[in-house]
Amino acid sequence: MIGYLRGRILEKQPPWLLLDVNGVGYEVEASMNTFYGLPEVGAEIGLHTHFVVREDAQLLFGFVDAQEKLLFRSLIKVNGVGPKLALSILSGISADAFIRTVHQEDISALVKIPGVGKKTAERLIVEMKDRLALLELPTLTELELSSGNLPAAAPAATDHRAEAESALVALGYKPQQATKAIEKAAETLGADAVTEVLIRQALKTMVTG
């Protein structure tokens, strides 16, 4: 079991990043809430990880916050929720907002996340309410992306939009839905908005709108 990695960021392509750990490159898939808090390419970071072995793949999921990893592990225990859907949930809604949603039994908020239908939302609320009480998870504040964490040389705006669209598709959104959401986010934020900021705005619009 790989539970933690510390290394240098080689590449960032939401929702994936490539981490150099003593000369070995680990491909890690992360929630967007984790991505918002990542430093620039070349910086060293530590990630709490969850390793999944399947017949057709070996997958490594990374989290800046150990409590987000704990929440991820609780989500994949829910019937019908696998790692990919759990990551999509943690990308579409912040951990503290998810906890509030479960306690308030807000099914309408959960069904806006791709892959979460009414039945899955109902199971999430019923099963996660008990698990959250046992875990005694505190309220988590959403990680903020600071200007100091941005790369010195940013790609062109069109590249940012393309990367943002790809990230949404990887999270389960339909291509047309992703394109429309990113275009709307770009109109709101301006042409200079970077990938992570575009994704955050698009997710906020789709989940809360």
Side-chain angles (χ1 to χ4, degrees):
M1 174 65 72
I2 302 173
Y4 183 84
L5 290 174
R6 174 168 289 279
R8 183 169 59 91
I9 300 175
L10 294 180
E11 296 178 12
K12 290 199 303 181
Q13 180 65 53
W16 292 278
L17 66 144
L18 186 62
L19 198 65
D20 177 3
V21 182
N22 297 322
V24 179
Y26 288 87
E27 190 174 78
V28 183
E29 191 167 357
S31 75
M32 286 313 305
N33 284 315
T34 285
F35 244 94
Y36 299 146
L38 292 179
E40 69 277 7
V41 170
E44 184 174 298
I45 60 165
L47 287 176
H48 300 273
T49 58
H50 179 82
F51 188 44
V52 175
V53 178
R54 301 190 324 214
E55 290 184 2
D56 59 341
Q58 295 184 27
L59 307 172
L60 194 59
F61 298 90
F63 312 91
V64 169
D65 195 310
Q67 290 169 332
E68 188 182 29
K69 173 183 172 179
L70 187 62
L71 185 55
F72 174 85
R73 285 183 163 177
S74 296
L75 280 169
I76 61 178
K77 293 178 182 177
V78 175
N79 185 29
V81 178
K84 291 287 187 179
L85 181 53
L87 203 70
S88 182
I89 292 170
L90 293 176
S91 294
I93 188 171
S94 63
D96 57 334
F98 175 77
I99 292 170
R100 287 197 303 271
T101 297
V102 170
H103 287 314
Q104 294 170 0
E105 301 184 2
D106 189 356
I107 293 176
S108 62
L110 292 175
V111 296
K112 293 178 181 178
I113 300 171
V116 179
K118 185 177 180 181
K119 290 184 178 179
T120 300
E122 291 172 345
R123 283 199 301 269
L124 281 167
I125 288 173
V126 172
E127 296 187 36
M128 286 302 297
K129 183 175 287 189
D130 292 336
R131 290 198 177 99
L132 290 175
L134 291 173
L135 293 172
E136 297 182 348
L137 281 173
T139 299
L140 304 177
T141 55
E142 184 176 356
L143 294 171
E144 294 295 333
L145 181 66
S146 66
S147 58
N149 288 335
L150 300 180
T158 52
D159 292 338
H160 286 312
R161 290 196 290 270
E163 289 178 357
E165 288 177 23
S166 295
L168 292 183
V169 172
L171 291 171
Y173 290 92
K174 296 178 180 179
Q176 290 183 338
Q177 188 180 17
T179 299
K180 183 177 180 180
I182 294 301
E183 287 179 351
K184 186 174 181 180
E187 290 176 1
T188 301
L189 299 171
D192 295 331
V194 296
T195 303
E196 289 89 345
V197 177
L198 285 169
I199 295 170
R200 172 182 283 185
Q201 178 64 28
L203 287 171
K204 180 180 178 181
T205 300
M206 288 189 289
V207 175
T208 63

